[in-house]
Amino acid sequence: CRGGHADIVKICIGWGAADWDWGLRTACVGGHVDIVHQMLRLGANPEYSIGSACMSGSVDIVNMLIDAGATNFEEGLWNACIENHTAIIDMMIQLGAKRWEGALQGACAGGHVDLVKRFLPLVDPKTGVDAAMERARRSGFPKIVEMLNVYI
């Protein structure tokens, strides 16, 4: 599914493969709209794959999963922040994601200074910055660590 080989997916279905959720997740990561559609038709749960879709950056796939019932917009926000997919970040916020600490952690993990600046004012400096700072430190972004130190 991840490689986008629809013909192989059909063979696996014919052999009785039934892990549609894993197939959906890997198709989302690979950005394969046709296979995502097929996995959803077979009964895959869109909730398990919204984060993968948001990380992949495919607005079309994210919309497909939302149309199929996905509602974990907090996970979607966090994953979109890791990869700096601003259109999807805005979409997740519009749909109700408000866990700013998670968004800040994702931005720090991805090293995205612009996103850190966007979400930092929305986070309580006493409780919401330590985990983000640790993510930036572990991910190798000293400039972001310095930025967070100034904030707290």
Side-chain angles (χ1 to χ4, degrees):
C1 292
R2 186 177 197 159
H5 304 288
D7 52 337
I8 294 174
V9 172
K10 287 178 185 174
I11 292 169
C12 291
I13 292 167
W15 287 345
D19 191 353
W20 311 130
D21 293 338
W22 180 252
L24 177 60
R25 182 173 292 166
T26 58
C28 287
V29 169
H32 303 294
V33 175
D34 55 334
I35 296 174
V36 168
H37 181 71
Q38 191 171 18
M39 294 294 109
L40 289 170
R41 272 194 0 256
L42 290 166
N45 185 339
E47 200 67 59
Y48 298 130
S49 300
I50 190 74
S52 299
C54 290
M55 188 178 275
S56 79
S58 172
V59 173
D60 291 338
I61 291 176
V62 171
N63 280 325
M64 287 174 69
L65 295 179
I66 292 168
D67 291 345
T71 60
N72 192 350
F73 307 129
E74 303 297 345
E75 181 181 348
L77 176 62
W78 189 82
N79 282 285
C81 285
I82 292 173
E83 297 297 330
N84 199 16
H85 295 304
T86 55
I88 295 173
I89 291 167
D90 294 340
M91 180 190 306
M92 294 296 106
I93 292 170
Q94 185 176 19
L95 289 167
K98 290 185 171 85
R99 201 171 141 251
W100 309 127
E101 291 86 0
L104 180 62
Q105 287 179 36
C108 289
H112 306 294
V113 173
D114 57 328
L115 287 181
V116 171
K117 289 178 182 177
R118 178 178 177 179
F119 292 111
L120 191 55
L122 303 174
V123 174
D124 182 345
K126 293 178 184 162
T127 60
V129 177
D130 289 341
M133 191 179 307
E134 183 58 27
R135 291 231 185 242
R137 186 177 295 115
R138 278 189 282 146
S139 299
F141 299 110
K143 181 178 179 180
I144 292 176
V145 172
E146 289 175 31
M147 199 170 159
L148 297 173
N149 269 323
V150 169
Y151 187 72
I152 57 173

